[in-house]
Amino acid sequence: MAGGETTNAGGEKNKTGGQTKKANANAGGGGKKEEVKKETGLGLSNRKDENFGDWYSEVVVNGEMIEYCDISGCYILRPWTMSIWEIMQKDRIEGFAPEVAWVNKSGESDWEVPIAIRPTSETVMYPYYSKLISGHRDLPLKLNQWGNVVRWEFSNPTPFIRSREFLWQEGHTAFATKAEADAKVLEILELYKRIYEEYLTIPVIKGKKSELEKFAGGLYTTSVEAFIPNTGRGIQGATSHCLGQNFAKMFEINFENEKGGKAMVWQNSWAYSTRTIGVMVMVHGDDKGLVLPPKVASVQVIVVPVPYKDADTQGIFDACTTTVNTLNEAGIRAEADFRDNYSPGWKYSHWEMKGVPLRIEIGPKDLVNSQVCVVRRDNSAKIDIPMVNLVVQVKDLLVTIQQNLYDVAKQKRDACVQIVRTWDEFIKALSQRKLILAPWCDEEEVEKDVKARTKGEMGACKTLCSPFDQPELPEGTLCFASGKPATKWSYWGRSCFSLRNGAVRKLIGFGSELSSSIRNSVIKELRSFEVILILELMEAKFFRFLKIVGVGYKARAEAEGRLLYLKLGYSHEVELTVPPAVRAFCFKNNVICCTGIDKQRVHQFAAAVRSCKPPEVYKGKGIMYLDEVIKKKQGKKSK
């Protein structure tokens, strides 16, 4: 855009055109840093260490990874996310019942037999296996696919971590023997470990799931487990299952062995999903935004021209183009930002928010000295590189950044590991948000008891996995929970967490803004809302409350918060369509809550609601913000 106004990621407005050029011209010299700080306004409003849930919501939106849509628990994956997923692409039965979406109606007709929208592919693919496999020469059968899956997760949806539809990779194999199936389970698990550690630079633990936590219908489950130090919670990174012969029995997947006898196949399944991207954001992101490992960044180097007043602008632009071409020819993914309606400082913040590993700045001084200034995203270190050494040194820096991200993440993860041997030590470590390694008797009832005894507002504790790399277990070691003889070491912690509790507390805890009666009404209404509406509130980040004053004045919301109707003394109701990414809810007919993930849209819609009947200054009737003070005027007195 050549002029006018643009809205940045923080919801603030920047003048463009002439004023931007003026800011560019004044950006040099000793006032450069101060000018950039004043102009960009792209910083996050939440800090990772202080408010992790809201920080994460901001990062995935402002970092242009996702966009919220009108369906709770579903998200739009933007190109910045899809590029990461594509890079990684290149180089069930009873247990699923609670989270399966069942379709039981078509138009006006009810179906006699409901159909489940698949939560996984076993029951879709395995009837076909029985047709593909007849003899031992048809084995092993190995199939892989990249697709999408639907899981109707009603509990605390979180972008990438818990959503109703997500992308994943899944593999399915069939072998003649259990030994072959066992070997493939571990081979795939090692591949998943490499994806996390070599590509996403996230340290993970390989191990076996407990009987309580294994894949429903499987013989056993192995997994790679990640840990988020800021929340003190584990995340299941990927799984590799040995299904045994359970599905072979169900779908009659038999074959004729070499001796002419009939046998059933041994099957595996394994998968990882776009959850990997969410884990990457949580582990590496900081208060400036995303931090992307170079191997998965669609743009590894961003080149930003820094033209000052009276500088050779065209020469600087030509140098940027040459730099990009040189890097691209060497196999480095590089782009230049030539947008003329943003200052260099704004661009710095923008690309930092998006997590690009390296930024190259080229200004008049660099042009004269045939060099570039390179800035690392992971630690903000700056270095001047001669153009003749550009490719070699940039490649070295990208390798260094990749390794440094892993080293820092592993150091933070390892600092959270706590070895315990008693229940008291376990509870203390759990309260400190540690990744707990404890001796265990490996009994299902004991694990259930631990879950029951630790259940609370933060969620119950459970086994994450029993690591393959087992520490020594001295003879006579007792289980930390039951006091029985321990048989193994297992990692314990909380997982599958909600990031939205802060938003709910913010909604119902406006002590200074809401009277106790209204606040209690809000809480009461929250308990009576349909699940879908509660989820919208839980996913919200910003809130704007309004109150209606006037006899007969009322408000009501319909269509899951997408329509708002106002009775304001007119001959007809005022109907307002709530914009995307915003919802409207009404409490006690005279309190309206506008909520959503986009601060600007929330405030704009709240202003639109208020404009339907602005408060008049004599009796104070109309629509006003809860924290708004109306200075009433005294009316004319009759003589």
Side-chain angles (χ1 to χ4, degrees):
M1 292 180 291
E5 293 182 343
T6 61
T7 304
N8 64 30
E12 301 174 11
K13 292 184 178 179
N14 294 324
K15 295 286 183 179
T16 59
Q19 291 188 11
T20 301
K21 294 179 181 178
K22 183 178 179 180
N24 287 346
N26 293 335
K32 181 179 179 181
K33 289 185 179 179
E34 181 181 355
E35 186 67 21
V36 168
K37 184 176 180 181
K38 283 176 61 179
E39 187 179 357
T40 60
L42 285 176
L44 299 174
S45 60
N46 292 283
R47 294 188 177 276
K48 186 177 183 180
D49 291 336
E50 296 174 359
N51 193 340
F52 187 84
D54 287 350
W55 167 85
Y56 180 75
S57 299
E58 267 195 293
V59 167
V60 295
V61 173
N62 294 356
E64 299 181 3
M65 301 199 76
I66 66 137
E67 187 57 72
Y68 283 78
C69 64
D70 288 346
I71 301 174
S72 175
C74 295
Y75 310 96
I76 299 168
L77 302 184
R78 300 187 64 179
W80 204 242
T81 290
M82 292 306 301
S83 63
I84 296 173
W85 185 243
E86 287 167 2
I87 289 172
M88 292 194 290
Q89 277 183 311
K90 294 174 185 177
D91 306 301
R92 332 196 169 181
I93 36 189
E94 292 180 357
F96 282 105
E99 52 190 40
V100 173
W102 292 95
V103 180
N104 55 17
K105 194 169 186 176
S106 175
E108 298 300 324
S109 302
D110 292 327
W111 291 354
E112 184 176 344
V113 179
I115 296 176
I117 299 178
R118 75 178 193 197
T120 185
S121 296
E122 280 80 1
T123 55
V124 177
M125 299 174 70
Y126 292 169
Y128 184 55
Y129 270 42
S130 60
K131 298 179 181 179
L132 288 176
I133 300 170
S134 58
H136 64 88
R137 293 183 180 84
D138 298 323
L139 298 173
L141 178 62
K142 304 176 183 179
L143 299 179
N144 179 74
Q145 71 175 4
W146 299 84
N148 61 328
V149 175
V150 175
R151 302 237 179 118
W152 217 243
E153 302 268 19
F154 276 101
S155 176
N156 304 325
T158 301
F160 297 116
I161 304 301
R162 294 175 67 90
S163 57
R164 288 178 173 169
E165 183 177 13
F166 52 88
L167 304 179
W168 80 348
Q169 171 274 334
E170 60 177 318
H172 298 266
T173 54
F175 296 94
T177 66
K178 183 176 184 295
E180 292 176 287
D182 290 340
K184 179 60 70 172
V185 166
L186 298 182
E187 177 187 336
I188 296 301
L189 196 68
E190 178 62 23
L191 289 176
Y192 286 152
K193 179 177 182 287
R194 290 181 57 194
I195 288 173
Y196 270 96
E197 297 191 343
E198 296 180 18
Y199 282 80
L200 301 173
T201 64
I202 298 169
V204 292
I205 299 167
K206 293 197 301 182
K208 185 178 180 180
K209 288 287 190 181
S210 68
E211 285 297 303
L212 198 61
E213 295 294 327
K214 74 176 184 180
F215 176 83
L219 183 62
Y220 65 85
T221 290
T222 65
S223 67
V224 290
E225 301 287 332
F227 185 76
I228 310 301
N230 293 80
T231 64
R233 295 180 182 269
I235 294 186
Q236 178 178 284
T239 51
S240 182
H241 315 283
C242 179
L243 304 179
Q245 296 179 315
N246 296 337
F247 286 92
K249 293 175 183 177
M250 183 184 301
F251 295 103
E252 299 181 353
I253 309 174
N254 304 312
F255 70 100
E256 184 179 306
N257 60 28
E258 294 178 350
K259 297 180 181 180
K262 186 178 180 181
M264 286 187 297
V265 300
W266 291 83
Q267 291 177 264
N268 297 341
S269 70
W270 19 278
Y272 83 104
S273 72
T274 40
R275 171 180 287 191
T276 55
I277 298 174
V279 178
M280 177 195 69
V281 174
M282 292 178 177
V283 170
H284 298 310
D286 60 21
D287 291 340
K288 293 182 180 179
L290 300 172
V291 179
L292 300 182
K295 280 191 178 182
V296 297
S298 61
V299 178
Q300 296 172 314
V301 181
I302 188 67
V303 181
V304 179
V306 190
Y308 298 157
K309 187 177 181 180
D310 300 327
D312 181 5
T313 302
Q314 189 57 51
I316 292 173
F317 284 1
D318 291 343
C320 290
T321 301
T322 301
T323 299
V324 170
N325 292 339
T326 301
L327 294 174
N328 286 340
E329 289 170 3
I332 298 169
R333 298 186 289 274
E335 292 182 5
D337 190 342
F338 289 124
R339 291 176 292 178
D340 60 2
N341 58 324
Y342 295 111
S343 70
W346 191 97
K347 294 176 184 178
Y348 298 165
S349 295
H350 174 75
W351 294 107
E352 283 178 345
M353 180 73 72
K354 298 189 72 168
V356 174
L358 279 179
R359 182 176 76 243
I360 289 180
E361 305 168 8
I362 300 180
K365 178 182 175 182
D366 304 303
L367 194 62
V368 171
N369 296 329
S370 297
Q371 66 179 27
V372 297
C373 177
V374 180
V375 184
R376 288 173 54 170
R377 176 64 182 88
D378 60 326
N379 62 9
S380 301
K382 288 188 176 185
I383 182 175
D384 292 329
I385 297 178
M387 284 296 294
V388 293
N389 298 332
L390 179 67
V391 171
V392 172
Q393 289 193 248
V394 166
K395 282 186 175 181
D396 288 344
L397 279 173
L398 292 174
V399 171
T400 300
I401 292 170
Q402 187 82 16
Q403 185 61 47
N404 183 61
L405 286 173
Y406 177 81
D407 292 342
V408 171
K410 188 174 186 299
Q411 182 181 15
K412 291 180 179 179
R413 193 277 311 272
D414 291 348
C416 292
V417 176
Q418 182 75 49
I419 297 176
V420 306
R421 290 177 173 81
T422 67
W423 180 257
D424 289 341
E425 291 176 349
F426 178 82
I427 291 299
K428 181 179 179 181
L430 190 63
S431 67
Q432 296 172 343
R433 299 183 176 183
K434 298 293 186 179
L435 175 58
I436 302 170
L437 182 61
W440 181 38
C441 60
D442 195 18
E443 293 185 8
E444 189 172 324
E445 291 304 316
V446 173
E447 182 176 4
K448 290 180 179 178
D449 183 60
V450 171
K451 280 188 173 183
R453 293 165 71 184
T454 57
K455 190 175 183 180
E457 184 180 342
M458 298 295 292
C461 180
K462 65 178 184 179
T463 57
L464 302 177
C465 73
S466 296
F468 292 138
D469 186 11
Q470 283 277 314
E472 182 182 356
L473 188 67
E475 186 176 351
T477 301
L478 301 180
C479 172
F480 79 99
S482 67
K484 299 177 182 179
T487 59
K488 62 169 67 174
W489 289 90
S490 292
Y491 281 102
W492 296 74
R494 293 187 171 100
S495 65
C496 295
F497 49 90
S498 164
L499 298 179
R500 307 298 176 179
N501 290 338
V504 176
R505 285 195 296 270
K506 187 192 301 181
L507 171 65
I508 64 178
F510 275 110
S512 60
E513 294 188 27
L514 297 179
S515 67
S516 59
S517 61
I518 293 178
R519 187 169 63 251
N520 292 336
S521 174
V522 170
I523 297 173
K524 181 180 179 181
E525 292 292 342
L526 274 174
R527 290 171 179 163
S528 64
F529 269 138
E530 294 179 6
V531 173
I532 188 71
L533 301 187
I534 296 176
L535 286 175
E536 295 295 351
L537 288 174
M538 293 177 73
E539 290 196 5
K541 182 180 183 302
F542 299 102
F543 301 90
R544 200 72 167 110
F545 285 88
L546 305 105
K547 62 180 177 180
I548 303 177
V549 179
V551 177
Y553 290 6
K554 296 179 181 178
R556 60 185 173 89
E558 293 186 0
E560 299 175 353
R562 293 181 176 88
L563 291 175
L564 182 64
Y565 295 92
L566 304 172
K567 286 187 176 181
L568 301 172
Y570 303 131
S571 60
H572 57 280
E573 284 187 326
V574 177
E575 178 181 339
L576 295 176
T577 301
V578 183
V582 180
R583 289 291 180 272
F585 303 99
C586 300
F587 308 120
K588 294 186 68 175
N589 293 328
N590 66 338
V591 176
I592 303 170
C593 171
C594 303
T595 179
I597 189 63
D598 189 315
K599 180 179 181 180
Q600 185 178 7
R601 289 186 180 181
V602 169
H603 282 247
Q604 285 178 342
F605 180 69
V609 173
R610 183 184 181 278
S611 68
C612 292
K613 192 77 171 182
E616 50 92 15
V617 295
Y618 294 104
K619 294 184 179 180
K621 294 198 306 181
I623 304 176
M624 65 196 74
Y625 300 118
L626 272 179
D627 54 356
E628 186 175 359
V629 177
I630 305 299
K631 293 184 179 180
K632 296 181 181 179
K633 293 183 179 180
Q634 188 174 1
K636 293 182 179 180
K637 296 181 179 179
S638 58
K639 294 181 180 179

